[in-house]
Amino acid sequence: MLEQQIDGVRRRALERIQSAANADELEAARVEALGRKGFLSNASKEFGKLAPEERARAGKLLNEAKQAIETALEDRRARFDRDTLKAKLESEWIDLTLPAPGIRPGSLHPVTQVQTEIEELFISMGFTVLDGPEVETEYHNFDALNIPANHPARDTQDTFWLTNGLLLRTHTSPVQVRGMQKLGPPLRMIAPGRVFRNEEVDASHEHTFYQLEGMMIDRDVSVAHLIYFMMTLLSSIFRREVTVRLRPGFFPFVEPGFELDIQCLICGGPGCPVCKQSGWVELLPCGLVHPNVLRMSGIDPEEWNGFAFGLGLTRLAMMRYGIDDIRLLASGDLRFLNQF
Ligand code: PHE
């Protein structure tokens, strides 16, 4: 009787284990079979009623059943573990052969792009690129450029004076002075860099902007040379022929001095908001180097002469890319920068 009971319990337990669909059902099957109130412990309670010789046989059967059930439980559990692992691996699978979602590289700032292009152009024409300090002496920024103290031209450059008597350079022209002193004639140099003016900020004015200074000193340099280099510069930047005009312009360090205008690239002449309806855009102050400037830097104006220009690099970049607000350039706004 007991033997049959054990056999039945064993079969039932194994069936339940086999058909358990998940870990919970398997646990329920285990409790039912092996738990303290389970079938097997119920069966062993019958032991006492058995004759001693039957007891041994039934005990053996009981142990076998218990072992078989435990083995089945373990197998089933292992299979669940394998299934769980497989499902996990499948759900976490990554296709390493898929193309990566493109890296978005940064790009050079529009002012840097224009600056680099101009540098390359002038290097190809035998010019050297020079750098100068942003914190300058009064001598380099003014005196050596023929702008003595109390000269009214100082007032037109709203200077940031530092408490130690130095200043933030108001233009890149002091690098002319440094270039002449360091390299001497003949000289072909450009000097891009940041300049500072204490101006009120609006769509076309910033307290910090970029200029690119140029200077060529040689024998018999004329305005024709100046115009040639300026036209080469502008048509290379705008990638087309440009029309320019010279107007007289006053700067103490050049004589004669000019304002070089280019015909408005937006409207082509008739007038638009960009050129303030004039058809021309002021872009390039320039001129032949004043003899005083040469002399002060140790160059004999009887033997040498030259031209100089002070390109508004920031304004040029704005024109080239059609940027209508100077404040965007230093805004750090990625929506703006991503376009270049
Ligand atoms: N330094 C002048 C300015 O910033 C520009 C300039 C440079 C004019 C060279 C003539 C020659 O206003």
Side-chain angles (χ1 to χ4, degrees):
M1 268 315 284
L2 184 60
E3 286 170 26
Q4 271 166 6
Q5 199 185 333
I6 292 172
D7 219 41
V9 165
R10 171 179 170 156
R11 225 175 315 113
R12 257 201 29 229
L14 291 181
E15 262 164 33
R16 292 257 303 164
I17 290 168
Q18 284 318 314
S19 63
N22 55 44
D24 287 344
E25 285 183 32
L26 189 63
E27 176 61 10
R30 185 190 69 80
V31 172
E32 195 180 273
L34 305 178
R36 258 196 291 140
K37 292 179 182 161
F39 296 133
L40 283 186
S41 63
N42 280 343
S44 45
K45 280 181 199 133
E46 308 283 313
F47 260 42
K49 301 174 192 161
L50 293 177
E53 67 275 11
E54 279 179 1
R55 221 180 269 176
R57 261 169 50 87
K60 193 164 163 254
L61 270 179
L62 203 61
N63 272 336
E64 279 171 11
K66 201 173 159 194
Q67 234 156 49
I69 290 168
E70 272 169 356
T71 311
L73 274 170
E74 234 160 78
D75 284 357
R76 190 79 187 127
R77 212 175 281 128
R79 226 168 63 220
F80 278 141
D81 288 350
R82 268 201 312 279
D83 289 352
T84 312
L85 182 65
K86 206 172 139 208
K88 191 168 178 233
L89 287 177
E90 266 164 18
S91 73
E92 290 177 357
W93 183 73
I94 298 168
D95 185 354
L96 294 176
T97 67
L98 275 179
I103 298 165
R104 292 179 51 107
S107 59
L108 294 177
H109 192 276
V111 172
T112 309
Q113 288 185 31
V114 172
Q115 175 184 327
T116 311
E117 268 180 47
I118 299 177
E119 285 178 6
E120 276 163 14
L121 172 71
F122 274 92
I123 287 169
S124 79
M125 299 191 293
F127 283 67
T128 307
V129 182
L130 291 185
D131 208 2
E134 292 174 346
V135 174
E136 261 298 5
T137 65
E138 191 177 348
Y139 176 77
H140 288 91
N141 197 81
F142 291 124
D143 301 81
L145 290 165
N146 204 28
I147 317 173
N150 306 320
H151 191 291
R154 288 206 182 186
D155 300 337
T156 66
Q157 308 219 344
D158 313 279
T159 310
F160 284 113
W161 289 93
L162 306 181
T163 49
N164 59 4
L166 298 175
L167 50 84
L168 296 184
R169 66 178 178 191
T170 58
H171 51 181
T172 42
S173 298
V175 193
Q176 286 184 26
V177 177
R178 294 181 179 277
M180 284 186 286
Q181 290 173 352
K182 189 171 164 210
L183 302 171
L187 175 66
R188 292 183 184 202
M189 55 150 278
I190 57 168
R194 269 201 307 189
V195 301
F196 310 86
R197 290 189 193 174
N198 193 354
E199 288 187 345
E200 213 159 311
V201 173
D202 62 26
S204 47
H205 295 90
E206 263 280 24
H207 48 71
T208 304
F209 54 100
Y210 287 80
Q211 285 188 338
L212 187 136
E213 197 78 10
M215 182 180 232
M216 172 164 135
I217 294 176
D218 212 314
R219 298 184 163 92
D220 303 318
V221 175
S222 72
V223 175
H225 293 113
L226 170 61
I227 293 174
Y228 168 79
F229 280 101
M230 299 303 91
M231 298 268 293
T232 306
L233 162 62
L234 295 173
S235 52
S236 141
I237 287 301
F238 291 110
R239 304 206 170 90
R240 55 175 135 154
E241 287 304 312
V242 294
T243 310
V244 303
R245 74 175 183 192
L246 282 184
R247 283 180 295 121
F250 175 73
F251 304 93
F253 33 97
V254 285
E255 180 58 39
F258 306 105
E259 289 283 2
L260 189 143
D261 302 341
I262 70 169
Q263 197 162 60
C264 180
L265 293 165
I266 308 297
C267 67
C272 71
V274 171
C275 58
K276 301 195 185 82
Q277 308 305 330
S278 74
W280 296 91
V281 179
E282 188 180 311
L283 198 61
L284 245 170
C286 53
L288 295 187
V289 183
H290 196 291
N292 285 352
V293 172
L294 294 172
R295 211 175 286 121
M296 273 186 277
S297 287
I299 297 175
D300 180 4
E302 300 297 324
E303 191 182 351
W304 305 96
N305 72 333
F307 68 72
F309 62 90
L311 172 70
L313 200 55
T314 300
R315 170 143 353 139
L316 185 70
M318 289 173 71
M319 287 198 58
R320 151 113 165 237
Y321 294 109
I323 300 164
D324 60 7
D325 191 326
I326 194 172
R327 291 166 293 194
L328 287 167
L329 292 168
S331 65
D333 189 333
L334 291 178
R335 292 167 305 176
F336 169 72
L337 292 170
N338 275 336
Q339 300 173 56
F340 302 97

